[in-house]
Amino acid sequence: MEIKSVFIIGAGLMGSGIAQVSAQAGYKTKLFDVNPQALEAAMGNIKNSYNKFVAKGKLTQEQIDKALANLSVTSQMDDASEFDLIIEAVFESVELKQKIFKQLETICKHDAIFATNTSAIAITKIASITKKPDKVVGLHFFSPVPLMKLVEIVSGVKTSQETIDLVAKVASDFGKTSVLVKKDFGGFIVNRVYLPYIRMALLTLTEGVADVEEIDIGVKLGLGYPMGPFELGDMVGWDIMYNAMNAIYKDTEDNAFAPPLLLKRLVDAGVLGKKTGEGFYLYDDKGQKIGVNNDLAII
Ligand SMILES: NC(=O)c1ccc[n+]([C@@H]2O[C@H](COP(=O)([O-])OP(=O)(O)OC[C@H]3O[C@@H](n4cnc5c(N)ncnc54)[C@H](O)[C@@H]3O)[C@@H](O)[C@H]2O)c1
């Protein structure tokens, strides 16, 4: 079997980025969402992004014309029936993802490969709802998809080598470097290393070891990281951080992922980072950092 077409479910941040790179790589690509506004916004974002690449001389107008000719959108999930690879990128909910995979089985060709872009849910758990867990795989892209080079290919307990080889070729065609996650372990590679680091930064703050800016400066200059943990968390969103940590903690019961109370309270209070104008730093309307958020009552 050869993968020539890609159907993407969920036209949010990740789904639209995946559609953009897929169409650009020459795959027949269709983007599906239950929300027509999400589809409209996704097409607008994709066109803007292509135009920026042209302005920077990284793509030609001819290349984006070809990419756009490969790309279409739909509000009908039944359109997945003709496609070789399905990539699911809806909200991070086991129930929703399992419902979609169950539906896909009744719609798709028997040899179609089902991939999920989940950050934290076990592939094996999503695959268990289907009758073909050998054809279910994790394809974990990073945001922003058109710029970030990495894809984690995650093997569930029953994922076949053929499935892994097929999606590895797709990731390579998308211009990505893929790494194989051999065991379906919470956090895969990147989040498994990264979330305990964020957790420890939060504990370093709550235990009064150092202040926000000192920790960020320490990590940047001492470890050579481009951003400190609080700058990074403010950019990603503390709700996303909390949900990922909590999902892995629930799955693995490993304390390295136990969300600190401060993180939970930030989410309760809607202090989510740049997107709400307020995290550990304060931001203006344009998202520029304007100072440290000294009003936070650190638990
Ligand atoms: N945001 C990130 O940085 C990031 C990085 C890697 C992986 N992920 C994972 O990717 C997935 C998507 O994340 P996102 O940030 O793009 O989310 P998002 O909220 O931007 O988009 C989700 C989209 O799914 C759509 N949707 C919901 N239910 C649907 C259904 N039944 N059928 C079709 N579409 C449906 C919504 O309308 C929305 O457009 C999640 O599993 C997330 O954990 C996110």
Side-chain angles (χ1 to χ4, degrees), residues 57-126:
K58 293 189 173 165
L59 283 178
T60 62
Q61 186 61 44
E62 195 189 347
Q63 283 171 315
I64 65 166
D65 289 346
K66 270 192 189 164
L68 286 169
N70 292 331
L71 180 62
S72 59
V73 297
T74 180
S75 299
Q76 304 298 323
M77 193 156 147
D78 286 351
D79 290 352
S81 62
E82 300 161 15
F83 285 77
D84 304 324
L85 170 64
I86 317 296
I87 304 179
E88 168 278 312
V90 302
F91 305 128
E92 191 76 332
S93 149
V94 183
E95 293 76 23
L96 179 59
K97 287 180 193 286
Q98 284 191 328
K99 190 178 134 206
I100 286 172
F101 277 68
K102 191 87 211 139
Q103 252 176 298
L104 281 174
E105 222 169 20
T106 63
I107 295 172
C108 294
K109 300 188 285 196
H110 78 280
D111 58 350
I113 304 292
F114 295 170
T116 171
N117 187 49
T118 180
S119 308
I121 301 169
I123 307 310
T124 310
K125 188 159 187 159
I126 298 172

Side-chain angles (χ1 to χ4, degrees), residues 131-161:
K131 292 192 192 84
K132 51 175 205 182
D134 57 310
K135 294 195 178 345
V136 179
V137 66
L139 259 190
H140 186 217
F141 290 84
F142 290 76
S143 173
V145 179
L147 298 180
M148 295 292 279
K149 283 281 168 211
L150 184 68
V151 177
E152 290 178 319
I153 297 179
V154 189
S155 176
V157 168
K158 293 191 175 169
T159 308
S160 70
Q161 187 60 46

